[in-house]
Amino acid sequence: MEIMIKIIFLMNLVSFMCYAQSSVVTHSPIDKMQFYPCSSCHQPSSLSAMTLKPRTSRKSLGIHEDIEFKHMPEVMDCFMCHGHKNPDTLVLLDGQTIQYEEVPLLCGQCHGLKKGEWDQGLHGRLEGSWKNQKIKPICTDCHKAHMPKFPKLKAFPPPKVPKFGRKKGEH
Amino acid sequence: MDWADRLKKLLEERLKKPVNRRTFLKGALATGGVAAVAKASSEVLHPSPYITDRYTWEKFFQKHYKEMTPRDKEKVFARIESETKKKYGVEVKVSDPQPIPGVKFVYCLNLSACNGSRYCVKACVEENNLSRSPQIQYIKVLELERGSFNLEKSNRYYEGESVPNDGKFYLPAQCMQCDNPPCVKACPVQATWKEPDGIVVIDYDWCIGCRYCQVACPYEARHFNLADPEIKKEEINPNQGYLSNRIRPRGVMEKCTFCLHRTRKGQYPACLEACPTGARKFGNILDPESEVSRILRNKKAFVLKEELNTVPSFFYYFDD
């Protein structure tokens, strides 16, 4: 039995080392948030008064009135995702506390397929270098946290129609 | 007294005999001929700057890219740099990154994610020093009806105040870097060829501008420089590659090269970096851990015009 445990431990260690050697790094939103950490205003004791009321009374959000929440309409409570005890953290549905840079774990609770694709590099933007160090943006780098649907954009102008050409399809 | 009378009188004085119509015409023709020859010889001896810039000794006897020694290349790159400085007033650096052994580039594009915002087109034009007038664009974004896939019914001139437009999806098309490229076979002077890393390149100084390759390409990926490219001085990208984004001369073909001056140094192509939705994926297909390898393993990827057996290195896929 002990041998088995040792073998499992070694395998885990090897896999961890392989993982650590891969040259993929993820973005960290901590850089953006370090100037205004949530805890600079929110003391853990005052948080209980912050429960989001039904969406007809959005003024209860106070200073966060500008936050437009367009995601799951049935969610009425900030603390479904935000940490209640420590406002600088996020919480999963099972009560586990995670840091802001681990937000894919939070999104992956519902969007498991997308999270799986993101893990493999199939979903999301590519940054950095294809050869050396790949940088992997996390969910909130591209999607707004409270309104994750990708916004519509203004397209750049179309090419000029050739003078003697016909405005028709290609190929 | 007009010039004909004057000439007649002059001739009469010289020849001491009356001039009839025939002798006058003879004299006039001879004078004209002499003048024409003199004009032509002066053009040979003192040609116009357009001719001198275009046909220099070095250019005329420049070797094919594959036959150039490193020293030849240095000379050629210096010549291109000085010409660009003279013509556009910009200091540029012409480089020539070589293909990396064990690398074959592949592009994958997620059609579910593309929103047709043409950010890639703009980035490509700026990165590759494409002519603004006459307009050349390597990437064509085709707008298609959702649920259809008839490229002949696509629209590339769509306006988009807020894309994606309702009921549409978008298919960007550019050079497919085929593994069996019809354009390379069509070239009569071997000015275009396929590099070991899969990129089809053109030696712009060897191209004779016959445009056979443009006709041969089924993806309309090749473009011809009908005029000298017009680019604003401040918009010229000074990081240039001999085979990729240096400013093309008039009368040669050009095409997308997967930004080889960037990708061979490890960077991503400009169109990928500009894409706001992450629809574009690029990487080394020979590396099983690269994103493109995983996409080809896990997604139902397809190519355009598969029946033509061009074996493109540019794949499209939909999410799920």
Side-chain angles (χ1 to χ4, degrees):
Chain A
M1 193 65 194
E2 266 187 26
I3 294 169
M4 283 294 287
I5 289 170
K6 274 182 184 170
I7 288 171
I8 290 169
F9 176 75
L10 270 173
M11 280 170 71
N12 277 340
L13 192 69
V14 167
S15 67
F16 176 74
M17 282 169 73
C18 290
Y19 182 74
Q21 275 175 0
S22 72
S23 57
V24 179
V25 294
T26 52
H27 269 192
S28 170
I30 296 299
D31 298 341
K32 293 182 209 163
M33 294 184 64
Q34 65 180 347
F35 298 110
Y36 300 107
C38 306
S39 57
S40 63
C41 301
H42 290 289
Q43 299 306 317
S45 58
S46 69
L47 277 176
S48 54
M50 288 282 300
T51 310
L52 184 61
K53 299 281 183 339
R55 295 176 78 193
T56 47
S57 61
R58 291 191 59 83
K59 280 184 182 167
S60 62
L61 281 170
I63 199 166
H64 296 309
E65 215 177 328
D66 57 325
I67 292 177
E68 201 177 343
F69 189 80
K70 272 191 189 173
H71 197 184
M72 290 167 68
E74 57 269 26
V75 175
M76 290 293 156
D77 185 5
C78 303
F79 305 115
M80 186 169 163
C81 300
H82 287 280
H84 197 280
K85 290 176 184 162
N86 182 0
D88 288 333
T89 56
L90 299 169
V91 285
L92 303 182
L93 291 176
D94 60 359
Q96 195 188 334
T97 308
I98 56 165
Q99 298 300 314
Y100 269 91
E101 62 260 36
E102 295 171 302
V103 78
L105 289 176
L106 182 84
C107 304
Q109 295 176 118
C110 299
H111 306 282
L113 285 173
K114 274 282 169 276
K115 162 83 166 43
E117 288 186 355
W118 179 83
D119 281 337
Q120 294 197 336
L122 310 186
H123 176 86
R125 299 186 69 219
L126 298 176
E127 288 176 15
S129 159
W130 63 267
K131 194 171 80 172
N132 304 322
Q133 196 170 51
K134 289 173 186 167
I135 299 170
K136 215 171 172 181
I138 59 171
C139 311
T140 46
D141 284 331
C142 304
H143 299 277
K144 284 184 183 170
H146 301 106
M147 199 166 49
K149 191 173 186 330
F150 206 81
K152 288 203 165 194
L153 299 174
K154 188 177 184 315
F156 281 102
K160 290 170 197 158
V161 181
K163 211 173 178 184
F164 301 107
R166 287 166 63 202
K167 194 171 178 177
K168 69 174 189 80
E170 291 295 316
H171 300 275
Chain B
M1 190 187 282
D2 65 346
W3 66 271
D5 292 339
R6 230 181 253 179
L7 197 64
K8 198 172 164 188
K9 198 157 193 178
L10 202 71
L11 278 170
E12 271 177 356
E13 275 177 14
R14 283 285 168 90
L15 300 170
K16 300 288 183 206
K17 59 179 180 185
V19 175
N20 59 10
R21 187 168 174 272
R22 176 170 292 185
T23 45
F24 173 72
L25 281 177
K26 262 187 195 169
L29 277 176
T31 326
V34 168
V37 168
K39 177 87 171 47
S41 61
S42 82
E43 261 189 13
V44 171
L45 295 173
H46 308 286
S48 71
Y50 174 73
I51 304 283
T52 48
D53 287 349
R54 241 174 120 65
Y55 304 106
T56 59
W57 182 269
E58 294 85 18
K59 263 191 189 175
F60 194 77
F61 287 101
Q62 185 179 314
K63 287 179 189 163
H64 188 277
Y65 172 81
K66 285 184 182 174
E67 292 173 353
M68 276 189 224
T69 61
R71 210 172 154 201
D72 290 339
K73 279 184 187 172
E74 264 176 38
K75 276 187 199 165
V76 170
F77 296 171
R79 174 182 67 74
I80 292 166
E81 282 165 14
S82 71
E83 277 177 7
T84 315
K85 171 88 181 153
K86 195 174 156 194
K87 197 169 172 189
Y88 295 95
V90 184
E91 293 274 356
V92 300
K93 183 86 193 78
V94 178
S95 63
D96 180 36
Q98 293 300 309
I100 307 164
V103 171
K104 163 95 169 68
F105 290 127
V106 155
Y107 217 117
C108 293
L109 204 148
N110 185 351
L111 294 174
S112 304
C114 177
N115 64 357
S117 56
R118 293 203 188 94
Y119 279 46
C120 49
V121 179
K122 183 168 183 285
C124 173
V125 167
E126 284 170 3
E127 176 67 32
N128 287 303
N129 294 317
L130 296 187
S131 173
R132 272 54 158 188
S133 171
Q135 194 179 45
I136 292 180
Q137 290 180 353
Y138 290 164
I139 304 174
K140 298 175 295 236
V141 186
L142 311 178
E143 188 184 60
L144 289 150
E145 283 289 331
R146 205 166 264 279
S148 78
F149 208 81
N150 188 351
L151 298 180
E152 291 197 9
K153 289 184 180 170
S154 65
N155 174 20
R156 63 180 284 205
Y157 302 104
Y158 66 91
E159 299 278 349
E161 277 303 311
S162 62
V163 285
N165 292 329
D166 292 336
K168 307 280 185 187
F169 78 99
Y170 299 88
L171 185 140
Q174 58 201 78
C175 176
M176 304 278 156
Q177 316 291 355
C178 308
D179 286 348
N180 185 16
C183 53
V184 169
K185 290 181 209 161
C187 182
V189 294
Q190 296 177 19
T192 178
W193 66 93
K194 196 166 172 68
E195 292 270 285
D197 56 1
I199 300 175
V200 177
V201 294
I202 305 170
D203 185 348
Y204 305 120
D205 287 342
W206 201 259
C207 175
I208 55 170
C210 67
R211 302 204 251 166
Y212 284 15
C213 54
Q214 191 177 20
V215 180
C217 176
Y219 304 103
E220 296 188 15
R222 288 182 166 246
H223 304 269
F224 187 66
N225 281 278
L226 282 162
D228 279 314
E230 265 181 37
I231 313 168
K232 279 183 198 160
K233 189 181 163 186
E234 59 276 9
E235 288 179 7
I236 289 176
N237 177 11
N239 168 28
Q240 301 188 350
Y242 178 82
L243 292 173
S244 58
N245 68 334
R246 69 182 166 105
I247 303 174
R248 268 70 55 178
R250 186 169 110 177
V252 302
M253 296 305 302
E254 59 176 291
K255 63 181 275 300
C256 159
T257 56
F258 278 176
C259 287
L260 66 83
H261 54 282
R262 295 169 61 93
T263 48
R264 283 181 179 173
K265 291 174 188 163
Q267 290 174 285
Y268 281 116
C271 48
L272 184 144
E273 287 195 352
C275 179
T277 61
R280 290 171 172 268
K281 306 279 179 186
F282 178 83
N284 176 15
I285 191 70
L286 301 181
D287 173 12
E289 291 306 306
S290 66
E291 287 85 2
V292 285
S293 300
R294 287 189 184 139
I295 286 166
L296 295 187
R297 274 204 300 273
N298 296 322
K299 298 281 185 184
K300 291 174 192 70
F302 64 95
V303 295
L304 290 186
K305 301 192 179 180
E306 189 184 1
E307 68 280 6
L308 297 179
N309 196 28
T310 51
V311 198
S313 306
F314 199 106
F315 296 86
Y316 296 93
Y317 66 99
F318 285 100
D319 265 347
D320 306 323

